């Protein structure tokens, strides 16, 4: 059906799969004979418990999450986790962070409030246009964890290879790449993601954490909400969770299983990204800003020769029905976020538009 929807290249909140939105619409007034909308339901009801259980089961199946990992659904976005991670995981008060862009910088600034932060590698010297060498980091023996932002949403870079943590646990912010490709959960101590980038509506984070890292001997001043032990012991329902986000994300988890899982999703994402990067590499007007080897499949920043022309292109794309292509204010230029739910047709149409723009400009 044609709903008159735009190709929305927003970095987040972002597009959701159309079949999922249709299902949500169909269940809006009366969820499966319950006589109410999910938004109106008690989180303590049997019918809602089933929604949570199914969402977790689908996510576990999708990612092959081992049994010794807990799945938590928490509010506060990824930003709350910037504080929750050091507060929950710093036993020795020391952690190693890799600085690759805006989101790792924010995580570092927050972690510094709770303990010693060692920035063991950074790509600040070249404006975060590459992933630094992380194969042989200087990691103190007593560091509690190694932290990465696995896909930097604003700068558009991603890790092809995880850091050598030398036996320390790895904590990864996967917000803007969560479920974009297969992921071996056992490589991590903890994975987390704000869901509004690549999964569902804003207002929730998914946390996947190895059980033995969940501690109870925590700072007594810590807000009860932020304690992973309390969240885990109460099935993410110590208090009222974001019921709506859990419901919508559950539908997306299920949808991803139905289309063939994360292998199929990765295949589609690689195909889409290649179309856009191939164009950027062949264009004389546009160029990508990230070193080829570290390019993100999800967020594609690019520029022209001038800020004025960048602005002109953004304006033209918007007028043509391609929304949210303006680069983040800290970086400028343009950025196309092509998450899971962006159809290939959207990327093809954008590239055709940019090609035409370039040809007409050069006339
Ligand atoms: C958007 C984003 C965040 C912040 O998410 P909020 O849910 O707004 O707190 C953190 N990390 C990454 C990688 C992001 O893309």
């Amino acid at each position: 059906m044609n709903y008159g929807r735009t190709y929305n290249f927003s970095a987040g909140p972002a597009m959701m799969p159309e079949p999922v939105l249709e299902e949500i619409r169909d269940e809006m007034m009366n969820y499966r004979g319950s006589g109410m909308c999910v938004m109106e339901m008690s989180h303590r009801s049997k019918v809602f418990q089933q929604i949570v259980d199914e969402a977790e089961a689908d996510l576990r199946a999708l990612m092959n999450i081992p049994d010794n990992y807990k799945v938590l659904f928490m509010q506060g976005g990824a930003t709350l986790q910037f504080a929750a991670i050091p507060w929950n995981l710093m036993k020795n008060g020391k952690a190693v962070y890799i600085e690759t862009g805006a989101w790792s910088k924010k995580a570092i600034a927050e972690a510094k409030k709770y303990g010693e932060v060692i920035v063991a590698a950074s790509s600040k010297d070249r404006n975060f246009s590459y992933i630094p060498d992380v194969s042989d980091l200087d990691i103190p023996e007593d560091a509690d964890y190694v932290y990465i932002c696995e896909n930097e949403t604003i700068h558009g870079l991603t890790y092809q290879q995880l850091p050598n943590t030398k036996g320390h646990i790895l904590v990864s912010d996967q917000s803007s790449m969560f479920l974009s490709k297969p992921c071996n959960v056992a490589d991590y101590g903890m994975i987390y993601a704000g869901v509004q980038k690549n999964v569902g509506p804003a207002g929730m984070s998914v946390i996947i954490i190895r059980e033995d890292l969940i501690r109870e001997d925590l700072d007594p001043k810590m807000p009860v909400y932020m304690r992973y032990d309390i969240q885990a012991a109460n099935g993410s329902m110590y208090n009222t969770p974001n019921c709506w986000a859990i419901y919508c994300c559950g539908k997306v988890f299920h949808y991803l299983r139905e289309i063939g899982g994360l292998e199929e999703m990765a295949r589609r994402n690689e195909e889409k990204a290649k179309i856009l990067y191939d164009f950027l590499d062949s264009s004389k007007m546009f160029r990508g800003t990230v070193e080829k080897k570290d390019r993100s499949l999800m967020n594609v920043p690019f520029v022209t020769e001038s800020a004025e022309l960048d602005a002109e292109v953004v304006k033209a794309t918007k007028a043509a029905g391609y929304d949210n292509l303006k680069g983040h204010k800290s970086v400028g230029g343009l950025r196309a976020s092509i998450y899971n739910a962006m159809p290939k047709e959207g990327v093809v149409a954008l590239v055709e538009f940019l090609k035409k723009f370039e040809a007409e400009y050069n006339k």
Side-chain angles (χ1 to χ4, degrees):
M1 193 176 152
N2 181 8
Y3 298 101
R5 286 161 58 77
T6 182
Y7 289 125
N8 176 7
F9 292 90
S10 168
M15 289 182 82
M16 287 174 61
E18 214 160 274
V20 168
L21 293 177
E22 285 174 331
E23 236 181 86
I24 291 168
R25 174 199 61 197
D26 293 344
E27 292 175 347
M28 184 67 73
M29 302 311 290
N30 184 350
Y31 176 79
R32 299 187 185 176
S34 65
M36 54 186 93
C37 172
V38 175
M39 281 188 265
E40 304 169 303
M41 254 173 216
S42 164
H43 60 296
R44 306 285 177 210
S45 63
K46 230 179 172 167
V47 56
F48 186 74
Q49 188 61 53
Q50 198 175 0
I51 291 173
V52 184
D53 291 345
E54 274 177 23
E56 180 171 339
D58 276 325
L59 180 65
R60 283 186 175 276
L62 199 55
M63 294 184 76
N64 269 318
I65 301 176
D67 288 344
N68 63 329
Y69 283 73
K70 290 277 188 210
V71 172
L72 309 177
F73 300 123
M74 287 174 70
Q75 303 186 51
T79 298
L80 187 78
Q81 299 305 317
F82 293 166
I85 289 162
W87 229 349
N88 278 281
L89 300 185
M90 275 187 181
K91 255 191 301 199
N92 302 325
K94 193 184 284 186
V96 166
Y97 279 66
I98 314 296
E99 185 186 47
T100 47
W103 291 115
S104 46
K105 268 170 73 175
K106 285 202 166 154
I108 288 167
E110 196 73 351
K112 279 182 175 167
K113 296 180 190 169
Y114 303 95
E116 187 186 341
V117 171
I118 297 146
V119 177
S122 170
S123 53
K124 197 175 175 179
D125 59 339
R126 274 185 278 138
N127 197 25
F128 303 118
S129 59
Y130 68 102
I131 297 287
D133 181 0
V134 288
S135 61
D136 185 20
L137 299 166
D138 204 357
I139 303 172
E141 205 45 54
D142 61 345
D144 290 310
Y145 57 88
V146 175
Y147 180 102
I148 59 169
C149 174
E150 204 166 333
N151 185 83
E152 284 279 5
T153 322
I154 292 173
H155 294 86
L157 34 145
T158 203
Y159 286 77
Q160 306 302 334
Q161 211 129 39
L162 294 175
N164 174 1
T165 63
K166 302 180 174 169
H168 295 79
I169 65 154
L170 181 64
V171 175
S172 176
D173 177 358
Q174 288 196 350
S175 294
S176 49
M177 59 171 289
F178 193 55
L179 307 179
S180 64
K181 59 178 189 178
C183 165
N184 183 23
V185 176
D187 289 342
Y188 304 80
M190 172 176 159
I191 294 167
Y192 75 103
V195 297
Q196 77 275 21
K197 306 284 163 67
N198 207 20
V199 190
M204 193 172 85
S205 289
V206 175
I207 288 102
I208 302 167
I209 181 167
R210 215 173 67 200
E211 265 167 6
D212 61 292
L213 302 173
I214 299 177
R215 293 162 53 212
E216 289 170 8
D217 57 328
L218 294 165
D219 179 353
K221 287 207 177 117
M222 211 173 141
V224 64
Y225 188 82
M226 288 170 74
R227 295 181 57 131
Y228 296 148
D229 61 331
I230 303 272
Q231 293 288 358
N234 292 277
S236 304
M237 288 206 264
Y238 174 78
N239 71 330
T240 320
N242 187 334
C243 302
W244 183 250
I246 292 172
Y247 163 71
C248 295
C249 290
K251 289 233 175 282
V252 174
F253 301 153
H254 193 76
Y255 168 80
L256 290 173
R257 287 188 73 189
E258 292 207 317
I259 65 162
L262 299 184
E263 283 83 11
E264 172 59 16
M265 201 62 251
R267 190 194 64 74
R268 294 186 193 183
N269 285 330
E270 276 158 24
E271 188 183 19
K272 279 187 293 181
K274 186 173 183 321
I275 293 167
L276 187 46
Y277 283 122
D278 280 354
F279 164 68
L280 293 174
D281 291 343
S282 68
S283 165
K284 293 204 164 53
M285 176 179 272
F286 302 101
R287 65 176 173 83
T289 54
V290 172
E291 267 185 31
K292 283 188 187 175
K293 67 175 176 50
D294 301 323
R295 283 169 161 177
S296 167
L297 285 184
M298 302 274 98
N299 312 99
V300 183
F302 56 102
V303 293
T304 66
E305 66 198 11
S306 76
E308 291 72 36
L309 186 52
D310 289 345
E312 207 180 306
V313 181
V314 170
K315 213 170 131 195
T317 52
K318 193 166 173 66
Y322 308 107
D323 221 340
N324 288 310
L325 280 155
K326 193 168 186 276
H328 190 269
K329 58 184 187 298
S330 65
V331 180
L334 294 97
R335 174 178 50 166
S337 293
I338 49 174
Y339 295 120
N340 283 357
M342 170 61 68
K344 180 180 160 188
E345 294 75 39
V347 180
V348 170
L350 174 67
V351 165
E352 286 311 312
F353 181 85
L354 294 174
K355 266 187 194 160
K356 220 172 100 201
F357 185 96
E358 182 172 351
E360 275 169 21
Y361 189 84
N362 288 326
K363 254 188 203 156

